[in-house]
Amino acid sequence: MTENHQLAKELIAEVEKLDGFRAGIANVDDVLDGPSYKAKTEGDWKTDHSESVTPWLPNAHSLLVLAMHHPKEDPWLDWFDRGNTEGNRKMTKISEDLATWIYETHGVRAQALPYHVEKGGVYLKDAAVFAGLGVVGKSNLFLDRKWGPRVRLRAVLIQDSLPAGRPPEDFQPCQGCDIPCQEACPDDAFATGQYYRPPCLEHLNSNRDNPIDSGQKNSEGSPILVTDWCRRCDFACPAGEQ
Ligand code: B12
Ligand code: SF4
Ligand code: SF4
């Protein structure tokens, strides 16, 4: 086993020590050349990382991709308040701690990338596929081998070139499935058989305009209201259910 294979193994093992986490390594060039970057070359999607708000570490060729389990029983992980979701806050903290750990333990520089592509993040579903963690399903969601679509993703840039995973060929949950994910959509985002963003976005905007009671109270005793983003395509999918 080469030194870099060993390092990749140790990074993945460090992440997977955490309950509800899986990880893999993706090659940066594969992700930047992937279907999501190809789909968008203008408008609000940035494809040129030299212009990113967060500059990337130079000569970083690998991404450590994290998938965190977001089970139906923990809806609060997806609730949006004070500009973020609890799940995202948790992943930011874990990816920053990992970047520090990688440098301190292995002397390799690493950078926790932001969530948003326009702020210097990457398209995370492509990254997770190229890391070998799963596939993109007919719901347009990434389906993790273990937890199906009920994961949230994040990436840490590594200033090294580590052996990457491969899109899995033996995991094809959509084959033979009667596509309940598309049926479940309240706004017909899959009317053509493929995901179409505008109706989905409209639905999520209406979620934002109609916050729900989180069951918690603020210091003045008033209920804390949160946005409960639609997850019907996510919940309808049988992939990853035990
Ligand atoms: C902007 C955004 C949105 C926008 C626009 C979504 C869109 N798809 O256009 C809105 C607000 C509408 C939205 C909605 C949702 N989102 Co969103 N979103 C993002 C964000 C920030 C960027 C996505 C994007 O712009 N993609 C670019 C467009 C062009 O591509 P796309 O529609 O995603 O389709 C591409 C892929 O499917 C890919 N693909 C398809 N087949 C294959 C095959 C291979 C081999 C590969 C490599 C790639 C690939 O190519 C397609 C383009 O051709 C990502 C986080 C990130 N940094 O990546 C989260 C993200 C994709 N969203 C996420 C989630 C959960 C949701 C929602 C369920 C809402 C919610 N509860 O959070 C819905 C799901 C809608 C759906 N069925 O796709 C998760 C997905 C997790 C997962 N398991 O896949 C992500 C990764 C964020 C996270 N927290 O981890 N989202
Ligand atoms: S519900 Fe079926 S078709 Fe839809 S993403 Fe899940 S496995 Fe694929
Ligand atoms: S998140 Fe909701 S509105 Fe958007 S595609 Fe999925 S089911 Fe449809």
Side-chain angles (χ1 to χ4, degrees):
M1 188 184 282
T2 66
E3 213 175 287
N4 279 4
H5 273 91
Q6 184 58 30
L7 177 58
K9 236 178 123 187
E10 287 180 27
L11 300 190
I12 292 169
E14 183 65 16
V15 177
E16 295 189 349
K17 272 188 204 164
L18 301 165
D19 196 28
F21 274 80
R22 294 185 68 232
I25 304 288
N27 185 307
V28 170
D29 289 342
D30 287 346
V31 177
L32 296 183
D33 199 30
S36 289
Y37 281 92
K38 287 204 172 108
K40 281 290 160 192
T41 52
E42 54 187 43
D44 54 351
W45 279 275
K46 276 228 157 106
T47 54
D48 181 355
H49 275 275
S50 61
E51 288 176 19
S52 297
V53 171
T54 307
W56 281 13
L57 282 173
N59 301 319
H61 300 290
S62 297
L63 290 163
L64 176 63
V65 184
L66 319 180
M68 180 173 84
H69 191 198
H70 254 225
K72 197 171 180 174
E73 301 72 52
D74 292 335
W76 54 272
L77 281 168
D78 231 30
W79 287 347
F80 188 88
D81 81 311
R82 292 166 290 131
N84 215 334
T85 66
E86 215 38 54
N88 244 332
R89 288 188 191 99
K90 188 170 171 187
M91 292 200 92
T92 300
K93 165 95 175 75
I94 285 173
S95 53
E96 286 173 356
D97 288 352
L98 272 168
T100 307
W101 176 86
I102 292 166
Y103 185 60
E104 287 177 353
T105 317
H106 295 282
V108 173
R109 289 197 185 278
Q111 177 183 9
L113 293 183
Y115 169 83
H116 292 102
V117 178
E118 62 275 18
K119 291 187 181 165
V122 290
Y123 287 120
L124 289 164
K125 291 182 290 180
D126 295 41
V129 173
F130 287 119
L133 293 171
V135 297
V136 173
K138 289 186 178 166
S139 57
N140 192 43
L141 292 170
F142 166 75
L143 310 183
D144 177 81
R145 236 177 210 291
K146 186 168 179 190
W147 295 307
R150 289 165 292 279
V151 290
R152 298 298 178 259
L153 305 168
R154 200 50 85 88
V156 178
L157 188 65
I158 310 287
Q159 201 177 42
D160 207 334
S161 190
L162 303 179
R166 282 209 203 114
E169 284 166 14
D170 59 337
F171 176 62
Q172 293 174 341
C174 297
Q175 244 177 39
C177 177
D178 52 11
I179 324 184
C181 51
Q182 299 197 354
E183 284 285 310
C185 181
D187 265 305
D188 257 353
F190 301 95
T192 62
Q194 295 220 315
Y195 175 75
Y196 182 54
R197 185 186 187 191
C200 175
L201 190 55
E202 198 177 313
H203 190 86
L204 298 185
N205 284 340
S206 84
N207 292 153
R208 193 195 47 221
D209 296 341
N210 295 285
I212 61 158
D213 185 344
S214 66
Q216 292 169 323
K217 304 239 187 276
N218 66 17
S219 54
E220 282 152 13
S222 310
I224 298 179
L225 300 180
V226 293
T227 304
D228 186 22
W229 302 119
C230 179
R231 291 181 69 183
R232 292 190 205 182
C233 48
D234 175 348
F235 289 153
C237 177
E241 276 176 355
Q242 316 293 321

